Amino acid sequence: MTPVRVRFAPSPTGFLHIGGVRTAIFNYLFARHHDGQFLIRIEDTDTQRSKQEYEDDILDALKWLGLKWDEEPLRQSTRVTRHREMVEELIERGAAFRCFVPMEKAQAMKEAEMARGGINAFRSPDRELTPKESKARADAGEPYAIRFKVPTLDVAFKDHVRGTVTTPAHTIDDFIILRKDGTPTYMMAVVVDDSEMEITMVIRGADHITNTPKQVLLYQALGLPVPEFAHVPLILGPDKKRLSKRHGAAAVTEYRGKGYLPEAIMSYMATLGWSAGEDKDVYTREELIEQFDLKGINKASAVFDEQKLEWMNAQFMSQVRDCDLQQMLRPEFARRIEAGQYPHGTGPMLAEAVRLLKTRAHFPVDILDKGGYFFEDPTELEDRKAAKKRLKHEDLPARLDEMAGRFEALQTFDEEQAEEALRVYTEELEENAGALIHPVRLAVSGMGSGPSLFELLVSLGQETVVRRIRTLAAHLRKHGTPPVPDDPEQPLPKIEPLG
Ligand code: GLU
């Protein structure tokens, strides 16, 4: 059997968009599933719009996603000579011809033909010129393009998503393969390159499906094997229009900047329009490779849902190694320390925040946003509702001071000892443990919920815990129990450090 070879062929006329990357993912998964090869071709023949910056962005994004390609990416612009040779070949075979009809005139002729009830395509009168006449006009300097002589038979190809697609020949123009200025068109370049890259399966967006019959005609006319095709339905925004920037869908690198993980993007984008036929949302790369199959591609367009992508990210947060998360957070962490935001911001505390909060975060930066208390004493009670509910007992200031004293007295401040101290004291008070668990959590973090309390206490350290509990006790003495104004518009008083 011929080995599977597929390609992703982006035009470097823009950044790699989140919608576009799905085509790359499908190609990659197909190649890996079949132990085949995944190739890249940079279709940079539009010299006006192609930019190195975009090419770099596309390759960086693919690398970041772990879509490793198997051969040096091929630049289409380096192949123009070869494309022209193949155009010549088509002329020699009588399958292409010089067309001297200017573009606007060709369009007008097509419209007239259609109005007359004839065929729905442009048929150039110049297809009938003898080679001699044609050459004479060209030699005389008359401008021309090379067009393909569309035969009369209908064109059919098998699509792995849509089944057999048949296009009546009378709807296909005698299309241009070499422009007036001597540049090959996309139609010509793609066929020559796919053929010489020995591509066996073309997986691309459904927006290309009208190009395929023309490409099949070119393969046939050149006597080349026709690859197989799979045209993947488009991705739509929530308004059912083709996904675009308007929907907030952006470049892959922008998602990267927002803290999306490559594994999450892979899992979400792969399952957008493809399913393994089971009730499952989250896939690792290995599972995707194992299960990917063209049969699982839906015929209907898929709708992109950024919230689902965010959810997916949260699913993968716990799988990222702590050291990698620390690495990702370090620049922002340093920036906040620089800005004076984190007086207790140290490397070890960052490690603790990562360890305790990563399963509660959707994005890496959530660890900093939600875990400021790892790096500074709380300056306010952030959870107003919890503060109102949990800090209302009038004896709380005294109880908190007592609790702080008991924590301070512990020889070893570990989870077991801390928990024991709290339980013994609440039993003495004839209260549930919750009577102090919640106030202590509010004291040390300002939050109503968070990681396991005793783990958090140990992580923050004895001295910090004792200080923060005493600080809250003083705050309650000053502002009452609960320290929450009745007017919901009025902010909570700031917590001041102990004098
Ligand atoms: N360069 C084309 C594009 O970016 C893809 C062509 C193809 O896959 O055949 O849409």
Side-chain angles (χ1 to χ4, degrees):
M1 259 179 46
T2 8
V4 161
R5 281 169 70 87
V6 293
R7 62 14 173 224
F8 176 55
S11 308
T13 53
F15 299 110
L16 184 60
H17 188 260
I18 189 80
V21 81
R22 192 191 54 172
T23 308
I25 292 175
F26 282 0
N27 273 290
Y28 167 85
L29 293 175
F30 185 79
R32 291 291 168 269
H33 179 87
H34 292 282
D35 283 328
Q37 279 166 334
F38 171 61
L39 312 179
I40 306 287
R41 184 172 66 235
I42 302 290
E43 303 211 316
D44 58 344
T45 47
D46 181 343
T47 46
Q48 300 273 303
R49 292 169 58 225
S50 295
K51 289 212 175 90
Q52 186 62 42
E53 181 195 359
Y54 296 137
E55 181 180 325
D56 294 344
D57 173 83
I58 293 167
L59 296 179
D60 279 352
L62 295 176
K63 252 187 237 159
W64 175 69
L65 285 168
L67 304 180
K68 265 184 84 188
W69 51 88
D70 295 303
E71 291 172 9
E72 234 350 80
L74 183 79
R75 279 246 181 82
Q76 198 156 53
S77 58
T78 62
R79 308 234 334 127
V80 171
T81 311
R82 184 66 188 138
H83 301 150
R84 288 204 192 109
E85 280 170 18
M86 295 303 263
V87 169
E88 280 306 316
E89 170 81 24
L90 283 170
I91 297 174
E92 272 164 37
R93 287 171 175 248
F97 60 95
R98 290 190 195 90
C99 175
F100 299 92
V101 183
M103 283 284 246
E104 318 75 62
K105 190 156 174 224
Q107 185 57 29
M109 286 168 77
K110 173 174 171 175
E111 280 160 20
E113 178 69 17
M114 283 165 71
R116 210 173 55 77
I119 66 167
N120 298 324
F122 170 61
R123 285 286 166 274
S124 170
D126 295 352
R127 25 155 77 210
E128 310 304 342
L129 293 176
T130 63
K132 219 172 134 197
E133 286 170 316
S134 170
K135 184 164 182 308
R137 285 172 70 176
D139 288 348
E142 200 177 329
Y144 62 87
I146 307 289
R147 288 188 187 260
F148 183 75
K149 196 185 282 184
V150 174
T152 43
L153 285 180
D154 294 349
V155 199
F157 67 91
K158 190 171 160 262
D159 185 84
H160 282 267
V161 179
R162 310 220 174 168
T164 301
V165 178
T166 306
T167 312
H170 66 80
T171 60
I172 307 175
D173 288 339
D174 282 348
F175 55 93
I176 296 178
I177 53 177
L178 194 77
R179 296 184 194 89
K180 230 168 35 189
D181 63 3
T183 56
T185 59
Y186 156 73
M187 222 56 83
M188 190 66 206
V190 89
V191 167
V192 175
D193 291 347
D194 279 341
S195 164
E196 290 177 15
M197 288 167 82
E198 297 178 22
I199 299 303
T200 57
M201 174 75 73
V202 173
I203 304 172
R204 61 184 170 195
D207 48 334
H208 284 289
I209 202 156
T210 51
N211 295 327
T212 309
K214 295 178 188 168
Q215 293 170 15
V216 170
L217 287 173
L218 289 175
Y219 284 108
Q220 290 170 344
L222 287 164
L224 298 170
V226 184
E228 295 179 53
F229 294 93
H231 289 90
V232 181
L234 299 181
I235 303 178
L236 308 179
D239 59 358
K240 305 284 151 65
K241 300 235 170 72
R242 189 174 174 176
L243 187 65
S244 73
K245 281 222 177 87
R246 273 183 307 115
H247 300 106
V252 172
T253 35
E254 229 171 279
Y255 283 89
R256 176 182 182 178
K258 283 197 215 164
Y260 279 96
L261 302 165
E263 296 79 7
I265 292 188
M266 279 286 282
S267 179
Y268 179 64
M269 294 314 292
T271 51
L272 193 58
W274 171 81
S275 117
E278 56 186 355
D279 190 15
K280 178 169 159 146
D281 292 303
V282 184
Y283 286 87
T284 63
R285 175 184 309 265
E286 289 69 32
E287 288 169 335
L288 289 171
I289 291 174
E290 160 101 29
Q291 304 211 33
F292 189 78
D293 175 354
L294 296 177
K295 284 198 200 79
I297 297 179
N298 299 332
K299 290 191 175 46
S301 302
V303 176
F304 179 79
D305 176 355
E306 174 128 19
Q307 271 172 2
K308 178 103 193 268
L309 178 58
E310 185 175 328
W311 173 86
M312 190 68 86
N313 216 52
Q315 307 309 305
F316 281 94
M317 280 293 291
S318 57
Q319 295 184 17
V320 186
R321 293 186 311 175
D322 285 17
C323 56
D324 291 336
L325 278 172
Q326 289 173 39
Q327 186 76 21
M328 285 182 219
L329 288 171
R330 226 159 254 145
E332 176 60 16
F333 187 57
R335 200 191 58 72
R336 293 186 188 191
I337 290 176
E338 190 97 335
Q341 204 179 328
Y342 292 157
H344 310 300
T346 61
M349 283 322 283
L350 176 64
E352 286 302 295
V354 164
R355 187 170 68 81
L356 294 194
L357 294 179
K358 73 173 183 179
T359 54
R360 312 177 71 87
H362 287 194
F363 298 106
V365 75
D366 290 348
I367 293 172
L368 300 183
D369 290 345
K370 291 185 182 168
Y373 53 85
F374 279 87
F375 320 114
E376 58 177 340
D377 288 356
T379 53
E380 61 192 311
L381 296 163
E382 292 196 29
D383 187 337
R384 186 178 186 116
K385 240 174 89 189
K388 195 164 176 180
K389 182 164 168 205
R390 306 297 189 183
L391 303 179
K392 62 179 178 222
H393 198 287
E394 55 189 12
D395 290 342
L396 255 182
R399 288 177 171 185
L400 285 172
D401 275 335
E402 174 64 21
M403 189 72 259
R406 292 188 184 205
F407 281 152
E408 193 174 35
L410 291 176
Q411 291 296 320
T412 22
F413 193 68
D414 60 18
E415 280 179 53
E416 216 170 285
Q417 300 283 322
E419 181 163 1
E420 171 79 7
L422 186 138
R423 289 199 194 277
V424 167
Y425 182 40
T426 46
E427 265 163 39
E428 284 172 24
L429 292 170
E430 296 184 357
E431 295 269 18
N432 289 328
L436 278 176
I437 283 183
H438 299 295
V440 167
R441 180 186 292 288
L442 282 157
V444 298
S445 70
M447 306 284 186
S449 63
S452 136
L453 180 67
F454 298 103
E455 219 181 337
L456 174 62
L457 296 183
V458 174
S459 166
L460 292 171
Q462 189 168 25
E463 202 188 310
T464 298
V465 166
V466 168
R467 178 180 69 246
R468 289 184 185 178
I469 296 176
R470 289 195 171 131
T471 305
L472 182 63
H475 182 75
L476 297 181
R477 281 200 182 91
K478 187 162 171 202
H479 296 284
T481 42
V484 181
D486 288 334
D487 177 0
E489 299 295 312
Q490 213 182 315
L492 296 187
K494 288 270 174 222
I495 301 175
E496 279 162 30
L498 290 178

